[in-house]
């Protein structure tokens, strides 16, 4: 059965049922994410399953969203579709997070053993924003002008040729 995930929750209680959750989060609610996007008008769709593994509470699932970014080649807007799996382990504090094996991604809960849903997923979504966004196909980029006017003729006339000294060099 699929349920809606509450805005603030205790992962321990949710893991007991092993219920699958679906959630739609507007990107505009994620302040740090929206500050690096060209537009935060899209949603982040999350499907998640809470479970228990050994001594840990785990949330695993998939994130889907579309990033509106600015191509760093042509400075035009572009969209990047993301559909990525995730798996996170809930811990009580930073000390417990340091004790986890490196392959596990910790999420630190607040002093009440809870977490806000935006806080849970914002970091995970931000991991998938391209560091240098650019069109995959260079033909999609509109490079714009590469020359900006004519140089006056006298600029080039009196200029010494830097390779003139090489002309008399005897290479044997």
């Amino acid at each position: 059965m699929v349920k809606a995930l509450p805005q603030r929750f205790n992962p321990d209680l949710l893991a007991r049922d092993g219920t699958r959750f679906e959630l739609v989060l507007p990107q505009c609610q994620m302040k740090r994410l929206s500050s690096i996007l060209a537009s935060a008008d899209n949603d982040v769709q999350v499907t998640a399953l809470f479970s228990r593994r050994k001594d840990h509470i785990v949330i695993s699932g998939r994130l889907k969203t579309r990033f509106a970014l600015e191509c760093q080649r042509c400075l035009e807007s572009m969209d990047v579709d993301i559909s990525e799996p995730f798996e996170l382990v809930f811990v009580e504090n930073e000390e417990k997070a340091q004790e986890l094996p490196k392959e596990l991604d910790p999420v630190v809960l607040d002093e009440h053993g809870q977490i806000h849903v935006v806080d849970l997923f914002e970091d995970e979504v931000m991991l998938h924003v391209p560091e240098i966004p650019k069109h995959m196909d260079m033909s999609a980029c509109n490079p714009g002008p590469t020359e900006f006017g004519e140089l006056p003729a006298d600029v080039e006339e009196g200029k010494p040729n830097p390779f003139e000294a090489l002309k008399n060099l005897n290479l044997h």
Side-chain angles (χ1 to χ4, degrees), residues 26-40:
Q27 289 175 348
C28 61
Q29 286 185 356
M30 301 178 177
K31 299 300 180 205
R32 289 179 296 131
L33 175 68
S34 60
S35 71
I36 60 175
L37 298 176
S39 166

Side-chain angles (χ1 to χ4, degrees), residues 11 19 21 54 58 61 63-64 77 82 85-86 88 91 101 107 112 131-132 135 147 153 161 166:
T19 307
F21 290 88
K54 296 183 183 178
V58 177
L63 298 167
K64 292 181 181 181
S77 62
I82 300 297
F86 67 90
L88 305 169
V91 293
V107 173
H112 305 291
E131 198 170 316
I132 301 173
H135 289 104
E147 295 180 12
N161 183 348
L166 297 175

